[in-house]
Amino acid sequence: MKYAFITAFILVWSLSIAQDSLNNIELDEVYIIGIRAKTEAPVSQTTIRKAELQKIDLGQDASLHLERLSPSIVTYSDAGTNFGNYMSFRLRGMAQDRINVTLNGIPLNDMLDQGVYFSNFADFSNSIESVQIQRGVGTSSNGTSSYAGSINYESVSLYSEKPKAELRLSGGSFGSMGLAAEAYSGKNEKGFSAYARASRLRSEGYKDYSGSDAHSFFFSGGHIGEKQVLKFTGFMGKTQNHQSYEYVLKDVIKKRPRTNNNNPNDIDDFEQDMAQLQHTYFFSKRLSLSSILYYSGARGYFPYAFPQSVSIPVDTLSIVYDTTILTQYNYGIVNNQYGATSNLHYNSNDLDIDAGIHFYTFNRRNTEDISPNAKFPYLSQNSFKDEASVFLKASKTFDALNMILFAESQMRYVKMSFEPGQDGINETSKSYFFLNPRLGITYNLNTDMNLYASFGRTGREPTRIDFFSNAFNIKEEYVNDFELGYRLTKDRLKLNLNAFYMDFENEITELGGVIQNTYFEIRQNVASSHRYGLELESEYKIINNLHFRLMASYLRTNIDNVTLEGNSENNVEQVLSPEFILSPELSYTFKEKFSINVNARYLSAAYTDIFNRPDYQIPSSLIFNSGIDFKVSENFRATLFVNNITDELYFTDGAPIDTDFDGVLDGPGFRVQAPRNIMGRLTFLF
């Protein structure tokens, strides 16, 4: 199958000798059509353009921007700063390993852990043309299952003919500093174009010894012809982070908010890279084929130090360790992924059809050793994952009925293989087949308003950690997702209101707490569970230069029954799923020279344990922020952000913790977020 696809890819490339002109089509953007939802599609979605991203960007973790610009997303930062080190995010209360994330349709998720580590390739958002966030079961995408939702990034466009360059300096509280430079050649007369960006970010972190040092490089270049595009896109990133992921007891935080329970010696070192070779060919104005060959990889290690005597597995080692001194475990990872995808797109005045195929092979080597004997790991295990998927979707417009019908089906075959031996587990492979249907309808009330409804079902395989932490006694999970929405677009008012109901089968739910010595949540299957709620996006132009924006979400969750360590409860709420999220913003612009905004974010309380004990809740929080942007000249801008103006002590993530591992919970633990802080940037354009 692999070689047949590569042959077809080369054959289509060779067909590009024909030179029929295709006017009014930005060929550089066609490849994202196959996986993105159109504006009028019956999908709960938000699309954010580059200009809007850059208003709030300082080089932070990319997930922070999603929280600011889309409802139902909550982020947290390990270091507490939102600038450097690790961040993570949730959509509708579900962790990011249930969210499909792609760049130009190519998966960014780690295929085994299924999460995304934006820290490994810092300053990512500055090389992005647009991002579409789909909530719930949206349209088909490549890679991990679109379970809670999907996030599709589009790399910077090469279509503009104007060359330009930019130098950006950023910095502020907690010793945070950033330097980034980019250059864009513009598309010349022969159709060649190139873009490059290099970045360096450093921060000391808010918490004790939680600093980070990261650098990255992003490149995109290619040739845009009359009937074809040949484009290469790639990035490289390397980051060193002081570990700061362990939860801290609430009482300790109140006395000393900067407390870090990780050891000062715990400094990880990771790098990640990706290369994509993309070719798009237009057989006509209506029919095109876009194909991509890609490689992605990651490598590095993270340590975990014990300051006390511990029991160390030394049976297979030729060295005897003195356990009366600091002992540091090192966990090493090397990932390699090779894949290919191809999308065929047809469009007419009232019909759109997309068909796609994607496959990859992924391998990982996990090692564990004890410092300073990295050459003598006591564990070395290889894991493999192979996937093949196909999809077919169609959208038909019925002008006489003022409606659009959408239908899609995706098939995924997944095989995961593990070398036996770890923790006494001898099972070596698991295979899954998922059939994921989606149906929807959009009804246009008039040119300004429409209603939409959709149903989608998708299945998701467990992660590698799910397998090993549950001794392979874990099942795949499924969700049936119902969405109903109303959209309004007028000159002064834009509004998108969406209601959803998600019915789960064998959901792999979080129980509260993490696996000892890791940052992975404790999870297990529950037979029946549900999530339902409302999401609102709105923007109102009060006067020409004064805008009010409101994003809001209401979420309710339920697990019919959960049993843990002999305790059984009915009708409990999911952990880390706040009922209300409110994000209002007021912004004013004066003659396109000066702008100011004030925004707030309210999170209601959320449970941290599956038995919903009130004293283990994350408290509600209300945070105020402000930003000022001044266009000094055509080539120079200055921007200042003041975050958490009222200096609120707040948390967005937590868990019950057992600090001494004696089997008795010591109380609720949290990852503290940043107090009042100031960040700024200077942008020079050439």
Side-chain angles (χ1 to χ4, degrees), residues 485-515:
Y486 168 77
R487 289 187 285 242
L488 169 68
T489 304
K490 287 184 173 292
D491 290 339
R492 301 179 70 89
L493 176 64
K494 295 180 181 178
L495 186 146
N496 188 347
L497 179 64
N498 177 70
F500 63 90
Y501 178 82
M502 305 180 78
D503 178 39
F504 299 88
E505 302 168 15
N506 292 323
E507 181 181 8
I508 303 173
T509 194
E510 295 169 59
L511 304 178
V514 295
I515 300 170

PDB file of all heavy atoms in Angstrom, residues 485-515:
ATOM      1  N   GLY A 485     -26.789  24.495  16.517  1.00  0.00           N
ATOM      2  CA  GLY A 485     -26.241  25.838  16.603  1.00  0.00           C
ATOM      3  C   GLY A 485     -27.003  26.884  15.814  1.00  0.00           C
ATOM      4  O   GLY A 485     -27.797  26.572  14.904  1.00  0.00           O
ATOM      5  N   TYR A 486     -26.741  28.152  16.178  1.00  0.00           N
ATOM      6  CA  TYR A 486     -27.325  29.321  15.515  1.00  0.00           C
ATOM      7  C   TYR A 486     -26.199  30.313  15.255  1.00  0.00           C
ATOM      8  O   TYR A 486     -25.412  30.622  16.157  1.00  0.00           O
ATOM      9  CB  TYR A 486     -28.396  29.951  16.401  1.00  0.00           C
ATOM     10  CG  TYR A 486     -28.860  31.317  15.948  1.00  0.00           C
ATOM     11  CD1 TYR A 486     -29.746  31.456  14.881  1.00  0.00           C
ATOM     12  CD2 TYR A 486     -28.408  32.476  16.592  1.00  0.00           C
ATOM     13  CE1 TYR A 486     -30.178  32.713  14.474  1.00  0.00           C
ATOM     14  CE2 TYR A 486     -28.828  33.725  16.195  1.00  0.00           C
ATOM     15  CZ  TYR A 486     -29.711  33.839  15.132  1.00  0.00           C
ATOM     16  OH  TYR A 486     -30.114  35.083  14.717  1.00  0.00           O
ATOM     17  N   ARG A 487     -26.111  30.799  14.008  1.00  0.00           N
ATOM     18  CA  ARG A 487     -25.071  31.769  13.640  1.00  0.00           C
ATOM     19  C   ARG A 487     -25.714  33.012  13.039  1.00  0.00           C
ATOM     20  O   ARG A 487     -26.615  32.918  12.201  1.00  0.00           O
ATOM     21  CB  ARG A 487     -24.084  31.148  12.653  1.00  0.00           C
ATOM     22  CG  ARG A 487     -23.176  30.111  13.262  1.00  0.00           C
ATOM     23  CD  ARG A 487     -22.099  29.634  12.294  1.00  0.00           C
ATOM     24  NE  ARG A 487     -22.606  28.739  11.285  1.00  0.00           N
ATOM     25  CZ  ARG A 487     -22.209  27.463  11.128  1.00  0.00           C
ATOM     26  NH1 ARG A 487     -21.304  26.939  11.943  1.00  0.00           N
ATOM     27  NH2 ARG A 487     -22.706  26.713  10.178  1.00  0.00           N
ATOM     28  N   LEU A 488     -25.202  34.161  13.453  1.00  0.00           N
ATOM     29  CA  LEU A 488     -25.676  35.455  12.964  1.00  0.00           C
ATOM     30  C   LEU A 488     -24.466  36.298  12.605  1.00  0.00           C
ATOM     31  O   LEU A 488     -23.531  36.435  13.400  1.00  0.00           O
ATOM     32  CB  LEU A 488     -26.506  36.163  14.044  1.00  0.00           C
ATOM     33  CG  LEU A 488     -26.865  37.631  13.788  1.00  0.00           C
ATOM     34  CD1 LEU A 488     -27.839  37.740  12.613  1.00  0.00           C
ATOM     35  CD2 LEU A 488     -27.444  38.267  15.036  1.00  0.00           C
ATOM     36  N   THR A 489     -24.477  36.886  11.414  1.00  0.00           N
ATOM     37  CA  THR A 489     -23.392  37.759  10.981  1.00  0.00           C
ATOM     38  C   THR A 489     -23.977  39.023  10.378  1.00  0.00           C
ATOM     39  O   THR A 489     -24.574  38.995   9.291  1.00  0.00           O
ATOM     40  CB  THR A 489     -22.491  37.068   9.945  1.00  0.00           C
ATOM     41  OG1 THR A 489     -21.997  35.850  10.489  1.00  0.00           O
ATOM     42  CG2 THR A 489     -21.316  37.963   9.567  1.00  0.00           C
ATOM     43  N   LYS A 490     -23.844  40.137  11.098  1.00  0.00           N
ATOM     44  CA  LYS A 490     -24.283  41.442  10.618  1.00  0.00           C
ATOM     45  C   LYS A 490     -23.118  42.422  10.720  1.00  0.00           C
ATOM     46  O   LYS A 490     -22.049  42.077  11.246  1.00  0.00           O
ATOM     47  CB  LYS A 490     -25.482  41.945  11.427  1.00  0.00           C
ATOM     48  CG  LYS A 490     -26.791  41.211  11.122  1.00  0.00           C
ATOM     49  CD  LYS A 490     -27.945  41.828  11.884  1.00  0.00           C
ATOM     50  CE  LYS A 490     -29.274  41.228  11.465  1.00  0.00           C
ATOM     51  NZ  LYS A 490     -29.633  41.602  10.088  1.00  0.00           N
ATOM     52  N   ASP A 491     -23.323  43.642  10.238  1.00  0.00           N
ATOM     53  CA  ASP A 491     -22.247  44.628  10.249  1.00  0.00           C
ATOM     54  C   ASP A 491     -21.763  44.920  11.663  1.00  0.00           C
ATOM     55  O   ASP A 491     -20.570  45.051  11.910  1.00  0.00           O
ATOM     56  CB  ASP A 491     -22.718  45.927   9.588  1.00  0.00           C
ATOM     57  CG  ASP A 491     -22.904  45.763   8.084  1.00  0.00           C
ATOM     58  OD1 ASP A 491     -22.318  44.824   7.523  1.00  0.00           O
ATOM     59  OD2 ASP A 491     -23.648  46.564   7.483  1.00  0.00           O
ATOM     60  N   ARG A 492     -22.689  45.030  12.605  1.00  0.00           N
ATOM     61  CA  ARG A 492     -22.327  45.427  13.963  1.00  0.00           C
ATOM     62  C   ARG A 492     -22.331  44.268  14.959  1.00  0.00           C
ATOM     63  O   ARG A 492     -21.776  44.391  16.054  1.00  0.00           O
ATOM     64  CB  ARG A 492     -23.281  46.515  14.462  1.00  0.00           C
ATOM     65  CG  ARG A 492     -23.286  47.755  13.586  1.00  0.00           C
ATOM     66  CD  ARG A 492     -24.265  48.784  14.137  1.00  0.00           C
ATOM     67  NE  ARG A 492     -23.778  49.363  15.374  1.00  0.00           N
ATOM     68  CZ  ARG A 492     -22.996  50.443  15.431  1.00  0.00           C
ATOM     69  NH1 ARG A 492     -22.608  51.034  14.322  1.00  0.00           N
ATOM     70  NH2 ARG A 492     -22.598  50.927  16.597  1.00  0.00           N
ATOM     71  N   LEU A 493     -22.949  43.163  14.589  1.00  0.00           N
ATOM     72  CA  LEU A 493     -23.089  42.064  15.535  1.00  0.00           C
ATOM     73  C   LEU A 493     -22.761  40.730  14.881  1.00  0.00           C
ATOM     74  O   LEU A 493     -23.265  40.409  13.799  1.00  0.00           O
ATOM     75  CB  LEU A 493     -24.520  42.019  16.090  1.00  0.00           C
ATOM     76  CG  LEU A 493     -24.849  40.848  17.029  1.00  0.00           C
ATOM     77  CD1 LEU A 493     -24.016  40.927  18.306  1.00  0.00           C
ATOM     78  CD2 LEU A 493     -26.343  40.825  17.360  1.00  0.00           C
ATOM     79  N   LYS A 494     -21.903  39.963  15.556  1.00  0.00           N
ATOM     80  CA  LYS A 494     -21.622  38.586  15.161  1.00  0.00           C
ATOM     81  C   LYS A 494     -21.903  37.693  16.359  1.00  0.00           C
ATOM     82  O   LYS A 494     -21.487  37.995  17.480  1.00  0.00           O
ATOM     83  CB  LYS A 494     -20.173  38.430  14.720  1.00  0.00           C
ATOM     84  CG  LYS A 494     -19.826  39.219  13.470  1.00  0.00           C
ATOM     85  CD  LYS A 494     -18.366  39.018  13.079  1.00  0.00           C
ATOM     86  CE  LYS A 494     -18.021  39.831  11.844  1.00  0.00           C
ATOM     87  NZ  LYS A 494     -16.588  39.683  11.463  1.00  0.00           N
ATOM     88  N   LEU A 495     -22.599  36.591  16.106  1.00  0.00           N
ATOM     89  CA  LEU A 495     -22.995  35.731  17.207  1.00  0.00           C
ATOM     90  C   LEU A 495     -23.012  34.280  16.750  1.00  0.00           C
ATOM     91  O   LEU A 495     -23.486  33.969  15.658  1.00  0.00           O
ATOM     92  CB  LEU A 495     -24.371  36.148  17.730  1.00  0.00           C
ATOM     93  CG  LEU A 495     -24.902  35.454  18.993  1.00  0.00           C
ATOM     94  CD1 LEU A 495     -25.735  36.433  19.807  1.00  0.00           C
ATOM     95  CD2 LEU A 495     -25.765  34.251  18.622  1.00  0.00           C
ATOM     96  N   ASN A 496     -22.495  33.408  17.587  1.00  0.00           N
ATOM     97  CA  ASN A 496     -22.516  31.973  17.340  1.00  0.00           C
ATOM     98  C   ASN A 496     -22.874  31.294  18.658  1.00  0.00           C
ATOM     99  O   ASN A 496     -22.121  31.355  19.618  1.00  0.00           O
ATOM    100  CB  ASN A 496     -21.151  31.486  16.836  1.00  0.00           C
ATOM    101  CG  ASN A 496     -21.180  30.031  16.385  1.00  0.00           C
ATOM    102  OD1 ASN A 496     -22.137  29.304  16.654  1.00  0.00           O
ATOM    103  ND2 ASN A 496     -20.131  29.607  15.719  1.00  0.00           N
ATOM    104  N   LEU A 497     -24.051  30.669  18.690  1.00  0.00           N
ATOM    105  CA  LEU A 497     -24.530  29.980  19.883  1.00  0.00           C
ATOM    106  C   LEU A 497     -24.673  28.502  19.558  1.00  0.00           C
ATOM    107  O   LEU A 497     -25.306  28.136  18.566  1.00  0.00           O
ATOM    108  CB  LEU A 497     -25.872  30.557  20.336  1.00  0.00           C
ATOM    109  CG  LEU A 497     -26.509  29.905  21.570  1.00  0.00           C
ATOM    110  CD1 LEU A 497     -25.632  30.111  22.796  1.00  0.00           C
ATOM    111  CD2 LEU A 497     -27.910  30.462  21.805  1.00  0.00           C
ATOM    112  N   ASN A 498     -24.074  27.668  20.401  1.00  0.00           N
ATOM    113  CA  ASN A 498     -24.034  26.240  20.116  1.00  0.00           C
ATOM    114  C   ASN A 498     -24.424  25.443  21.354  1.00  0.00           C
ATOM    115  O   ASN A 498     -23.963  25.728  22.457  1.00  0.00           O
ATOM    116  CB  ASN A 498     -22.621  25.841  19.674  1.00  0.00           C
ATOM    117  CG  ASN A 498     -22.490  24.357  19.437  1.00  0.00           C
ATOM    118  OD1 ASN A 498     -23.054  23.838  18.483  1.00  0.00           O
ATOM    119  ND2 ASN A 498     -21.755  23.669  20.301  1.00  0.00           N
ATOM    120  N   ALA A 499     -25.298  24.438  21.165  1.00  0.00           N
ATOM    121  CA  ALA A 499     -25.652  23.499  22.221  1.00  0.00           C
ATOM    122  C   ALA A 499     -25.126  22.125  21.831  1.00  0.00           C
ATOM    123  O   ALA A 499     -25.131  21.759  20.654  1.00  0.00           O
ATOM    124  CB  ALA A 499     -27.163  23.447  22.417  1.00  0.00           C
ATOM    125  N   PHE A 500     -24.649  21.362  22.818  1.00  0.00           N
ATOM    126  CA  PHE A 500     -24.097  20.042  22.510  1.00  0.00           C
ATOM    127  C   PHE A 500     -24.483  19.033  23.578  1.00  0.00           C
ATOM    128  O   PHE A 500     -24.739  19.375  24.746  1.00  0.00           O
ATOM    129  CB  PHE A 500     -22.569  20.103  22.383  1.00  0.00           C
ATOM    130  CG  PHE A 500     -21.851  20.500  23.638  1.00  0.00           C
ATOM    131  CD1 PHE A 500     -21.438  19.551  24.574  1.00  0.00           C
ATOM    132  CD2 PHE A 500     -21.577  21.837  23.905  1.00  0.00           C
ATOM    133  CE1 PHE A 500     -20.774  19.913  25.734  1.00  0.00           C
ATOM    134  CE2 PHE A 500     -20.912  22.215  25.070  1.00  0.00           C
ATOM    135  CZ  PHE A 500     -20.513  21.245  25.990  1.00  0.00           C
ATOM    136  N   TYR A 501     -24.534  17.773  23.153  1.00  0.00           N
ATOM    137  CA  TYR A 501     -24.754  16.652  24.055  1.00  0.00           C
ATOM    138  C   TYR A 501     -23.836  15.529  23.603  1.00  0.00           C
ATOM    139  O   TYR A 501     -23.913  15.078  22.460  1.00  0.00           O
ATOM    140  CB  TYR A 501     -26.208  16.187  24.026  1.00  0.00           C
ATOM    141  CG  TYR A 501     -26.460  14.992  24.932  1.00  0.00           C
ATOM    142  CD1 TYR A 501     -26.667  15.161  26.299  1.00  0.00           C
ATOM    143  CD2 TYR A 501     -26.476  13.702  24.409  1.00  0.00           C
ATOM    144  CE1 TYR A 501     -26.885  14.076  27.132  1.00  0.00           C
ATOM    145  CE2 TYR A 501     -26.699  12.605  25.235  1.00  0.00           C
ATOM    146  CZ  TYR A 501     -26.904  12.795  26.591  1.00  0.00           C
ATOM    147  OH  TYR A 501     -27.112  11.723  27.408  1.00  0.00           O
ATOM    148  N   MET A 502     -22.933  15.093  24.487  1.00  0.00           N
ATOM    149  CA  MET A 502     -21.961  14.059  24.167  1.00  0.00           C
ATOM    150  C   MET A 502     -22.228  12.849  25.060  1.00  0.00           C
ATOM    151  O   MET A 502     -22.172  12.947  26.295  1.00  0.00           O
ATOM    152  CB  MET A 502     -20.533  14.572  24.361  1.00  0.00           C
ATOM    153  CG  MET A 502     -20.229  15.843  23.579  1.00  0.00           C
ATOM    154  SD  MET A 502     -18.529  16.460  23.793  1.00  0.00           S
ATOM    155  CE  MET A 502     -17.629  15.346  22.694  1.00  0.00           C
ATOM    156  N   ASP A 503     -22.533  11.717  24.424  1.00  0.00           N
ATOM    157  CA  ASP A 503     -22.847  10.476  25.119  1.00  0.00           C
ATOM    158  C   ASP A 503     -21.686   9.507  24.908  1.00  0.00           C
ATOM    159  O   ASP A 503     -21.354   9.164  23.773  1.00  0.00           O
ATOM    160  CB  ASP A 503     -24.148   9.898  24.556  1.00  0.00           C
ATOM    161  CG  ASP A 503     -24.509   8.577  25.199  1.00  0.00           C
ATOM    162  OD1 ASP A 503     -24.309   8.443  26.412  1.00  0.00           O
ATOM    163  OD2 ASP A 503     -24.980   7.668  24.476  1.00  0.00           O
ATOM    164  N   PHE A 504     -21.057   9.066  26.004  1.00  0.00           N
ATOM    165  CA  PHE A 504     -19.838   8.260  25.925  1.00  0.00           C
ATOM    166  C   PHE A 504     -20.106   6.802  26.263  1.00  0.00           C
ATOM    167  O   PHE A 504     -20.943   6.493  27.120  1.00  0.00           O
ATOM    168  CB  PHE A 504     -18.774   8.807  26.889  1.00  0.00           C
ATOM    169  CG  PHE A 504     -18.349  10.210  26.603  1.00  0.00           C
ATOM    170  CD1 PHE A 504     -19.030  11.280  27.161  1.00  0.00           C
ATOM    171  CD2 PHE A 504     -17.265  10.474  25.775  1.00  0.00           C
ATOM    172  CE1 PHE A 504     -18.648  12.587  26.909  1.00  0.00           C
ATOM    173  CE2 PHE A 504     -16.870  11.770  25.517  1.00  0.00           C
ATOM    174  CZ  PHE A 504     -17.559  12.831  26.077  1.00  0.00           C
ATOM    175  N   GLU A 505     -19.343   5.932  25.621  1.00  0.00           N
ATOM    176  CA  GLU A 505     -19.353   4.507  25.920  1.00  0.00           C
ATOM    177  C   GLU A 505     -17.935   4.092  26.313  1.00  0.00           C
ATOM    178  O   GLU A 505     -16.991   4.315  25.561  1.00  0.00           O
ATOM    179  CB  GLU A 505     -19.812   3.699  24.696  1.00  0.00           C
ATOM    180  CG  GLU A 505     -21.196   4.087  24.172  1.00  0.00           C
ATOM    181  CD  GLU A 505     -21.465   3.474  22.808  1.00  0.00           C
ATOM    182  OE1 GLU A 505     -20.726   2.542  22.407  1.00  0.00           O
ATOM    183  OE2 GLU A 505     -22.400   3.939  22.130  1.00  0.00           O
ATOM    184  N   ASN A 506     -17.810   3.527  27.492  1.00  0.00           N
ATOM    185  CA  ASN A 506     -16.501   3.094  28.002  1.00  0.00           C
ATOM    186  C   ASN A 506     -15.490   4.244  28.028  1.00  0.00           C
ATOM    187  O   ASN A 506     -14.309   4.059  27.706  1.00  0.00           O
ATOM    188  CB  ASN A 506     -15.940   1.931  27.179  1.00  0.00           C
ATOM    189  CG  ASN A 506     -16.742   0.659  27.344  1.00  0.00           C
ATOM    190  OD1 ASN A 506     -17.232   0.370  28.431  1.00  0.00           O
ATOM    191  ND2 ASN A 506     -16.896  -0.086  26.271  1.00  0.00           N
ATOM    192  N   GLU A 507     -15.939   5.420  28.403  1.00  0.00           N
ATOM    193  CA  GLU A 507     -15.036   6.571  28.441  1.00  0.00           C
ATOM    194  C   GLU A 507     -13.840   6.282  29.347  1.00  0.00           C
ATOM    195  O   GLU A 507     -13.977   5.734  30.438  1.00  0.00           O
ATOM    196  CB  GLU A 507     -15.757   7.816  28.938  1.00  0.00           C
ATOM    197  CG  GLU A 507     -14.853   9.044  28.975  1.00  0.00           C
ATOM    198  CD  GLU A 507     -15.545  10.291  29.479  1.00  0.00           C
ATOM    199  OE1 GLU A 507     -16.696  10.174  29.954  1.00  0.00           O
ATOM    200  OE2 GLU A 507     -14.934  11.368  29.412  1.00  0.00           O
ATOM    201  N   ILE A 508     -12.653   6.626  28.856  1.00  0.00           N
ATOM    202  CA  ILE A 508     -11.441   6.520  29.670  1.00  0.00           C
ATOM    203  C   ILE A 508     -11.363   7.810  30.485  1.00  0.00           C
ATOM    204  O   ILE A 508     -10.837   8.822  30.034  1.00  0.00           O
ATOM    205  CB  ILE A 508     -10.197   6.322  28.790  1.00  0.00           C
ATOM    206  CG1 ILE A 508     -10.374   5.085  27.903  1.00  0.00           C
ATOM    207  CG2 ILE A 508      -8.949   6.168  29.659  1.00  0.00           C
ATOM    208  CD1 ILE A 508      -9.275   4.890  26.884  1.00  0.00           C
ATOM    209  N   THR A 509     -11.919   7.767  31.667  1.00  0.00           N
ATOM    210  CA  THR A 509     -12.097   8.993  32.438  1.00  0.00           C
ATOM    211  C   THR A 509     -10.992   9.167  33.472  1.00  0.00           C
ATOM    212  O   THR A 509     -10.401   8.197  33.956  1.00  0.00           O
ATOM    213  CB  THR A 509     -13.466   8.983  33.138  1.00  0.00           C
ATOM    214  OG1 THR A 509     -13.770  10.295  33.611  1.00  0.00           O
ATOM    215  CG2 THR A 509     -13.484   8.017  34.317  1.00  0.00           C
ATOM    216  N   GLU A 510     -10.713  10.407  33.804  1.00  0.00           N
ATOM    217  CA  GLU A 510      -9.728  10.737  34.830  1.00  0.00           C
ATOM    218  C   GLU A 510     -10.363  10.620  36.212  1.00  0.00           C
ATOM    219  O   GLU A 510     -11.500  11.053  36.422  1.00  0.00           O
ATOM    220  CB  GLU A 510      -9.195  12.144  34.605  1.00  0.00           C
ATOM    221  CG  GLU A 510      -8.418  12.288  33.303  1.00  0.00           C
ATOM    222  CD  GLU A 510      -8.121  13.726  32.976  1.00  0.00           C
ATOM    223  OE1 GLU A 510      -7.462  14.373  33.811  1.00  0.00           O
ATOM    224  OE2 GLU A 510      -8.539  14.204  31.916  1.00  0.00           O
ATOM    225  N   LEU A 511      -9.623  10.063  37.134  1.00  0.00           N
ATOM    226  CA  LEU A 511     -10.137   9.810  38.473  1.00  0.00           C
ATOM    227  C   LEU A 511      -9.690  10.857  39.476  1.00  0.00           C
ATOM    228  O   LEU A 511     -10.190  10.904  40.601  1.00  0.00           O
ATOM    229  CB  LEU A 511      -9.680   8.425  38.950  1.00  0.00           C
ATOM    230  CG  LEU A 511     -10.065   7.258  38.030  1.00  0.00           C
ATOM    231  CD1 LEU A 511      -9.518   5.960  38.588  1.00  0.00           C
ATOM    232  CD2 LEU A 511     -11.571   7.170  37.864  1.00  0.00           C
ATOM    233  N   GLY A 512      -8.763  11.709  39.084  1.00  0.00           N
ATOM    234  CA  GLY A 512      -8.167  12.658  40.014  1.00  0.00           C
ATOM    235  C   GLY A 512      -6.851  12.106  40.516  1.00  0.00           C
ATOM    236  O   GLY A 512      -6.752  10.944  40.913  1.00  0.00           O
ATOM    237  N   GLY A 513      -5.801  12.907  40.453  1.00  0.00           N
ATOM    238  CA  GLY A 513      -4.479  12.441  40.858  1.00  0.00           C
ATOM    239  C   GLY A 513      -3.669  11.965  39.664  1.00  0.00           C
ATOM    240  O   GLY A 513      -4.179  11.814  38.548  1.00  0.00           O
ATOM    241  N   VAL A 514      -2.375  11.765  39.904  1.00  0.00           N
ATOM    242  CA  VAL A 514      -1.461  11.349  38.845  1.00  0.00           C
ATOM    243  C   VAL A 514      -0.735  10.081  39.273  1.00  0.00           C
ATOM    244  O   VAL A 514      -0.643   9.766  40.462  1.00  0.00           O
ATOM    245  CB  VAL A 514      -0.429  12.452  38.514  1.00  0.00           C
ATOM    246  CG1 VAL A 514      -1.107  13.669  37.936  1.00  0.00           C
ATOM    247  CG2 VAL A 514       0.385  12.830  39.761  1.00  0.00           C
ATOM    248  N   ILE A 515      -0.228   9.353  38.287  1.00  0.00           N
ATOM    249  CA  ILE A 515       0.559   8.163  38.555  1.00  0.00           C
ATOM    250  C   ILE A 515       1.848   8.576  39.263  1.00  0.00           C
ATOM    251  O   ILE A 515       2.486   9.557  38.885  1.00  0.00           O
ATOM    252  CB  ILE A 515       0.869   7.426  37.240  1.00  0.00           C
ATOM    253  CG1 ILE A 515      -0.441   7.020  36.550  1.00  0.00           C
ATOM    254  CG2 ILE A 515       1.741   6.202  37.486  1.00  0.00           C
ATOM    255  CD1 ILE A 515      -0.246   6.512  35.140  1.00  0.00           C
TER     256      ILE A 515
END
